[in-house]
């Protein structure tokens, strides 16, 4: 209806090789039914499940180059 207030949209950014970025605050419901909450302005949600702080991204998805010893 034209007279109803419009709720502002929350931005979701999908990256090619990293987390999903959400404008916060957010609540994430996990597959076991528990809820994780973040009050941050922007939060990175892990999609690779390698994060030690899942569901939040800790950049574990980044490839770590091994040093070569000569």
């Amino acid at each position: 209806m034209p007279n109803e207030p419009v709720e502002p949209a929350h931005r979701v950014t999908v990256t090619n090789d990293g987390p999903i970025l959400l404008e916060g605050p957010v609540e994430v419901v996990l597959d076991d039914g528990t809820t994780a909450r973040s009050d941050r302005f922007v939060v990175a949600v892990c999609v690779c499940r390698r994060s030690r702080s899942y569901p939040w991204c800790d950049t574990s998805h980044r490839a770590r180059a091994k040093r070569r010893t000569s």
Side-chain angles (χ1 to χ4, degrees), residues 38-55:
S38 174
D39 292 320
R40 296 184 71 155
F41 180 72
V42 174
V43 65
V45 177
C46 176
V47 292
C48 71
R49 292 191 175 245
R50 290 182 228 160
S51 174
R52 291 185 182 151
S53 59
Y54 186 82

Side-chain angles (χ1 to χ4, degrees), residues 5-46:
V6 177
E7 292 290 325
H10 291 276
R11 184 176 301 248
V12 176
T13 305
V14 180
T15 60
N16 286 335
D17 56 352
I20 294 176
L21 303 176
L22 302 171
E23 287 186 2
V26 298
E27 284 187 356
V28 176
V29 180
L30 302 173
D31 52 354
D32 66 358
T34 59
T35 302
R37 180 175 172 84
S38 174
D39 292 320
R40 296 184 71 155
F41 180 72
V42 174
V43 65
V45 177
C46 176

